[in-house]
Amino acid sequence: MYIYDEIDQRIVDDRVAQFRDQTSRFLAGSLSEDDFRPLRLQNGLYIQRFAPMLRVAIPYGLLASRQLRALAYIARKWDRGYAHFSTRQNIQYNWPKLEDVPDILEKLASVQMHAIQTSGNCIRNTTVDHFAGVAPDEIVDPLVWCEIIRQWSAFHPEFAFLPRKFKIAVSGAETDRAAIQVHDIGLQAQYDDKGNIGFRVYVGGGLGRTPIIGTVIREFLPWQHLLTYLDAVLRVYNRYGRRDNKYKARIKILVKETKPEVFRAQVEAEWAHLKDGPATLIEEEVERITKRFTRPAYQKLDKLASGYVLALGRDKAFASWARRNVQAHKVAGYAAVTLSLKKTGVAPGDMTDAQMEAVADLADRYSFGELRVSHEQNLILADVRQSDLFELWQQARELGLATPNIGLLTNIIACPGGDFCSLANAKSLPVADAITRRFDDLDYLYDIGELDLNISGCMNSCGHHHVGHIGVLGVDKQGAEFYQISIGGAQGNKAALGKVLGPSVSQAEVPGVVEKLIDLYIERRDSAEERFIDVVQRIGIEPFKEHVYGGHHKKPAGRGEQLAAA
Amino acid sequence: MAGIIKNRQVAANNWQLLKAGADKSLPAVPEGDVIVPLAQWLAQKDALLARKGRLGVWLANTDDPAVIAGDLNHFDLVAVDFPHFTDGRGSSIARLLRERYGWTGELRAIGDVIRDVVFYLSRCGFDAFDLKAGEDAKAALSAFGDFSEAYQTSVERPQPLFRRRAATAQAAAAK
Ligand code: SF4
């Protein structure tokens, strides 16, 4: 965890006071609704379908147990006893009262948290690999750089009112778990051949209405220049990004319309002025930030705990949980554990106050009092001793957080959709629920193997449907809620955008379509090792289309006509 | 005439802001101190320089400040217009004028300028604010104290917080 110093704290406290003042001026009528809207959005406060929604930042997904307890307290005191983890390492409250928000922010500030720039057309919360610092395939620990970016982006005076929202993601590992190629800026931390740290810079990636994979505009940016280079990119965007049409206002459109080479030249020209200026990073600062991060005091342990190995052999349910939800750790004898928030019957990412407190206890007991939030809307205990895994599993199971489905079909990513979000075309939560119920049989789920299924309630793509192996998108068809299914999307190093399968289908038909896709996959895979996405890439989408819609691409065939071939 | 904020105080506004007509025709230039649109400056340089009153120019959010980089010594004031306070282009224009083109005179924010953006704009180099109608200039003075610190480099304080921190740490170590 990064621990605030006096100035970090003061800045967050100042923000609370500022927002309290803005809220009271709004309630008193001296700040107009139109003027208040962009100001409250910069503090994560939306007015939603039923009530305001407050989005709280979990900077780069890191959370201390005391912070999670504060989040639980807020859920109980000012909301309806639960909150929702989003796909961007944020947590959202769906029922706070506007006049309570300043108090909520004050409570957050007391545990070094905030809602700064969690919405609005500004630089948003920076996201990172949820296994940062513990992944065995890590090259550079990205957390220090994330905090440097957090400080640079917080209340940046020049970039407070951009054409549109701006999201930065950082990865420091071989496998990209932060989806850096579909962010406005993606940073891949790496070493050059002399052992210096730097970043490969992607720009102009994004999902939404116009999904685009980012372009590399710099192969290696030495760390000293990180902030001046970001300033240069943002300045070009701030000056030339489109403001006439909100659907064309993201940086990806600017990069595309100006052509990536031209955009790169503009950035380089701007950077030539800023490079080596006062915003150039210095070693003292990197060291200072590094020191303000608390690090787990790992014990020296055997590579494999014998008790753990024995338990794996003894208990089949534990073994299957370990296979899906336990990830390797770079320190011998430790493991990272994913607590699944994707239990059948629960909206993906939702958590009650009691669960939060219980997880905070688990974090204290088993993982140095820290946890992570993943963009797949799960929680991670990143530093668990292998010898504690069995005990932890038993406790997680009692809490309903041990569904062994990480990486599997029912680990669905879904946005809040039409139940909560006023922008939605269609509901996403009932669809997730129906699919989860359809694939409730664990053996079947394991047989299907790795599969990402992502659902968004509209083109804004908060559920990342474009990069799901199977993507489901809510669309509006003459006022009725329909769903467009795509396949072949992927996140990570081999990021790809899914292709639309065919005409959209009704809510009731979605699970049947998914089932048909799975049927064909099982029929056509050459071994259990070949994943769904591999088969799609090998045989293309046509056979799937054929199978779902029949020869003439009309209505999808209903459930029951086709049973799993497995 | 309504007051403006200048150098963190309420001040009288002696300037007349001239705007092009709906058909883009350039306005007539009255006596006294005037702020003319960029197009007028570019079209009527000689006539404007031959006048008695003081001269200012204002840039629209889409104007490129590089265009007047070589003319700055002719002006007593430069203003930047915000058609809406959520249009951040004016902030980049201000920084460029200050940091790249070396403008040291009055830099005035005009248009849809509300109390709540004064802190940011001031860090971008504005030292004068002609707030939008209905805003109370006196009450808005408190905006300069919205935050007691800031991380980034800015026109007001080019050294970012991390360099100032490092300098303080060094000074403490030297004692
Ligand atoms: S994808 Fe659309 S419906 Fe879903 S949360 Fe985002 S804006 Fe709302």
Side-chain angles (χ1 to χ4, degrees):
Chain A
M1 270 326 284
Y2 173 79
I3 307 295
Y4 284 6
D5 76 353
E6 180 269 324
I7 298 178
D8 300 319
Q9 183 68 51
R10 185 141 49 89
I11 289 174
V12 170
D13 291 344
D14 286 347
R15 171 58 140 201
V16 177
Q18 182 195 36
F19 192 71
R20 194 180 286 286
D21 173 56
Q22 288 169 341
T23 307
S24 62
R25 278 188 284 135
F26 169 68
L27 292 172
S30 62
L31 181 60
S32 74
E33 178 143 21
D34 281 348
D35 285 352
F36 184 50
R37 184 182 311 113
L39 301 175
R40 67 168 157 74
L41 282 175
Q42 302 246 334
N43 234 332
L45 188 62
Y46 288 77
I47 303 296
Q48 286 279 46
R49 203 158 266 197
F50 302 114
M53 184 270 273
L54 177 67
R55 183 182 291 150
V56 173
I58 301 175
Y60 38 91
L62 234 52
L63 204 53
S65 53
R66 70 196 151 82
Q67 295 176 318
L68 187 56
R69 288 195 185 92
L71 294 174
Y73 176 88
I74 291 168
R76 194 164 45 238
K77 172 148 189 193
W78 289 293
D79 204 294
R80 296 191 179 173
Y82 72 99
H84 172 82
F85 287 95
S86 81
T87 54
R88 287 208 75 259
Q89 302 183 321
N90 291 306
I91 185 168
Q92 301 179 172
Y93 292 97
N94 281 309
W95 309 96
K97 285 211 217 58
L98 172 62
E99 49 274 31
D100 289 336
V101 172
D103 291 338
I104 298 177
L105 295 180
E106 192 171 312
K107 176 73 189 173
L108 288 170
S110 76
V111 291
Q112 310 195 342
M113 291 185 80
H114 58 75
I116 295 163
Q117 292 164 212
T118 52
S119 180
N121 297 334
C122 48
I123 307 168
R124 303 287 189 85
N125 188 21
T126 295
T127 51
V128 74
D129 180 355
H130 44 265
F131 293 124
V134 305
D137 70 339
E138 187 159 276
I139 310 160
V140 176
D141 183 342
L143 292 176
V144 167
W145 305 103
C146 289
E147 175 59 24
I148 287 174
I149 294 170
R150 184 190 76 85
Q151 298 192 5
W152 162 82
S153 63
F155 309 120
H156 196 301
E158 187 179 347
F159 307 131
F161 296 103
L162 296 167
R164 199 79 177 85
K165 57 191 168 185
F166 200 92
K167 301 173 178 179
I168 301 175
V170 189
S171 163
E174 274 163 25
T175 305
D176 168 23
R177 284 169 291 259
I180 60 171
Q181 296 184 40
V182 289
H183 277 77
D184 296 294
I185 288 182
L187 297 171
Q188 172 69 46
Q190 53 193 357
Y191 287 103
D192 69 3
D193 46 15
K194 292 187 203 71
N196 304 308
I197 291 181
F199 304 88
R200 183 188 304 131
V201 184
Y202 292 85
V203 71
L207 300 174
R209 205 166 279 258
T210 317
I212 300 180
I213 302 286
T215 321
V216 177
I217 57 163
R218 203 148 235 284
E219 263 309 324
F220 191 83
L221 176 71
W223 63 267
Q224 291 86 342
H225 303 302
L226 177 62
L227 300 186
T228 54
Y229 196 79
L230 290 177
D231 274 329
V233 174
L234 266 295
R235 181 171 286 171
V236 171
Y237 172 54
N238 189 41
R239 293 188 69 195
Y240 304 117
R242 288 181 62 170
R243 292 175 191 257
D244 58 328
N245 177 341
K246 90 178 216 195
Y247 298 113
K248 297 198 186 290
R250 294 289 288 266
I251 194 173
K252 61 188 174 188
I253 305 290
L254 177 66
V255 173
K256 197 173 138 204
E257 287 183 351
T258 43
K259 302 270 173 298
E261 318 79 69
V262 179
F263 180 82
R264 176 188 301 140
Q266 288 174 342
V267 170
E268 291 289 322
E270 185 58 43
W271 188 45
H273 293 283
L274 301 176
K275 188 169 178 277
D276 300 319
T280 306
L281 280 166
I282 49 178
E283 232 153 85
E284 291 96 307
E285 174 66 357
V286 179
E287 229 169 78
R288 190 188 72 84
I289 301 254
T290 307
K291 283 203 189 122
R292 296 205 70 83
F293 268 93
T294 56
R295 295 284 176 174
Y298 296 114
Q299 297 166 313
K300 237 182 135 36
L301 300 173
D302 289 342
K303 200 153 182 286
L304 257 186
S306 53
Y308 172 48
V309 179
L310 282 177
L312 286 176
R314 205 174 49 225
D315 193 315
K316 195 162 162 264
F318 174 60
S320 56
W321 175 78
R323 182 150 65 102
R324 294 314 326 179
N325 297 33
V326 174
Q327 279 80 23
H329 198 290
K330 70 179 178 192
V331 178
Y334 285 85
V337 169
T338 304
L339 300 172
S340 172
L341 301 185
K342 313 293 177 66
K343 194 178 173 223
T344 307
V346 178
D350 272 11
M351 208 175 183
T352 65
D353 59 332
Q355 277 180 322
M356 289 186 224
E357 275 163 351
V359 169
D361 292 345
L362 291 183
D364 282 343
R365 215 169 306 144
Y366 300 112
S367 199
F368 300 94
E370 281 184 19
L371 55 152
R372 318 278 183 99
V373 183
S374 77
H375 77 273
E376 290 170 345
Q377 303 171 290
N378 292 311
L379 294 183
I380 291 162
L381 299 177
D383 301 286
V384 182
R385 284 189 307 205
Q386 288 174 359
S387 52
D388 288 335
L389 285 171
F390 189 74
E391 212 180 285
L392 169 60
W393 169 67
Q394 290 176 309
Q395 298 182 16
R397 206 157 56 151
E398 268 168 41
L399 296 168
L401 300 171
T403 313
N405 62 350
I406 303 310
L408 301 181
L409 193 155
T410 58
N411 182 34
I412 295 173
I413 296 183
C415 76
D419 291 296
F420 293 104
C421 174
S422 47
L423 303 171
N425 287 323
K427 294 194 170 69
S428 48
L429 302 179
V431 178
D433 187 53
I435 297 171
T436 318
R437 285 179 199 282
R438 184 71 58 97
F439 291 91
D440 206 19
D441 176 34
L442 272 182
D443 289 328
Y444 185 37
L445 204 55
Y446 284 146
D447 187 43
I448 298 167
E450 243 175 73
L451 197 148
D452 295 341
L453 194 152
N454 300 354
I455 308 175
S456 304
C458 78
M459 258 311 179
N460 287 320
S461 316
C462 304
H464 302 176
H465 66 277
H466 295 294
V467 290
H469 299 165
I470 298 178
V472 178
L473 165 68
V475 292
D476 180 89
K477 226 176 169 181
Q478 284 138 19
E481 298 189 359
F482 271 72
Y483 298 86
Q484 192 181 69
I485 315 283
S486 57
I487 61 172
Q491 54 178 353
N493 305 51
K494 295 214 175 107
L497 303 168
K499 293 202 180 71
V500 176
L501 196 63
S504 51
V505 300
S506 72
Q507 185 174 322
E509 288 169 323
V510 176
V513 172
V514 174
E515 204 162 31
K516 289 196 142 257
L517 293 171
I518 300 300
D519 290 347
L520 187 78
Y521 152 65
I522 297 216
E523 193 185 306
R524 299 293 289 270
R525 70 181 175 188
D526 50 27
S527 71
E529 270 66 60
E530 199 185 24
R531 300 170 307 158
F532 177 85
I533 180 71
D534 303 328
V535 173
V536 177
Q537 278 162 3
R538 179 165 58 82
I539 69 176
I541 83 161
E542 274 310 315
F544 287 93
K545 200 182 236 174
E546 201 81 347
H547 192 68
V548 169
Y549 294 95
H552 330 288
H553 295 187
K554 14 172 244 265
K555 293 225 9 124
R559 160 159 169 83
E561 290 167 28
Q562 202 91 26
L563 271 175
Chain B
M1 195 162 272
I4 59 158
I5 298 177
K6 197 177 161 185
N7 296 328
R8 303 191 170 207
Q9 285 174 343
V10 177
N13 181 17
N14 304 315
W15 292 83
Q16 300 174 70
L17 183 67
L18 306 188
K19 295 195 172 175
D23 56 351
K24 300 226 165 111
S25 62
L26 297 176
V29 182
E31 306 253 296
D33 301 341
V34 292
I35 311 174
V36 302
L38 175 63
Q40 187 149 27
W41 164 249
L42 294 176
Q44 303 172 358
K45 275 186 195 177
D46 294 339
L48 288 168
L49 289 175
R51 293 174 70 251
K52 267 221 203 87
R54 290 187 297 166
L55 179 65
V57 66
W58 67 268
L59 302 181
N61 55 348
T62 48
D63 288 335
D64 184 354
V67 172
I68 53 163
D71 300 339
L72 290 171
N73 56 337
H74 298 303
F75 305 130
D76 298 292
L77 177 155
V78 176
V80 179
D81 180 51
F82 288 81
H84 196 275
F85 75 85
T86 57
D87 185 331
R89 280 177 279 197
S91 303
S92 288
I93 292 174
R95 288 194 78 159
L96 289 169
L97 283 168
R98 289 286 196 219
E99 294 172 334
R100 190 154 308 160
Y101 306 125
W103 174 246
T104 53
E106 177 175 341
L107 184 58
R108 182 181 289 198
I110 59 174
D112 188 48
V113 182
I114 64 170
R115 180 225 174 272
D116 298 275
V117 292
V118 164
F119 183 83
Y120 280 141
L121 295 186
S122 155
R123 293 184 61 211
C124 289
F126 288 101
D127 55 3
F129 305 86
D130 189 355
L131 300 177
K132 83 164 173 186
E135 292 275 314
D136 178 344
K138 187 147 178 281
L141 290 178
S142 64
F144 293 103
D146 277 359
F147 290 87
S148 51
E149 248 304 353
Y151 290 112
Q152 307 78 5
T153 153
S154 67
V155 174
E156 280 181 329
R157 191 145 61 166
Q159 294 291 303
L161 178 59
F162 66 80
R163 283 185 185 265
R164 290 183 277 117
R165 269 176 167 142
T168 317
Q170 242 171 30
K175 265 189 204 156

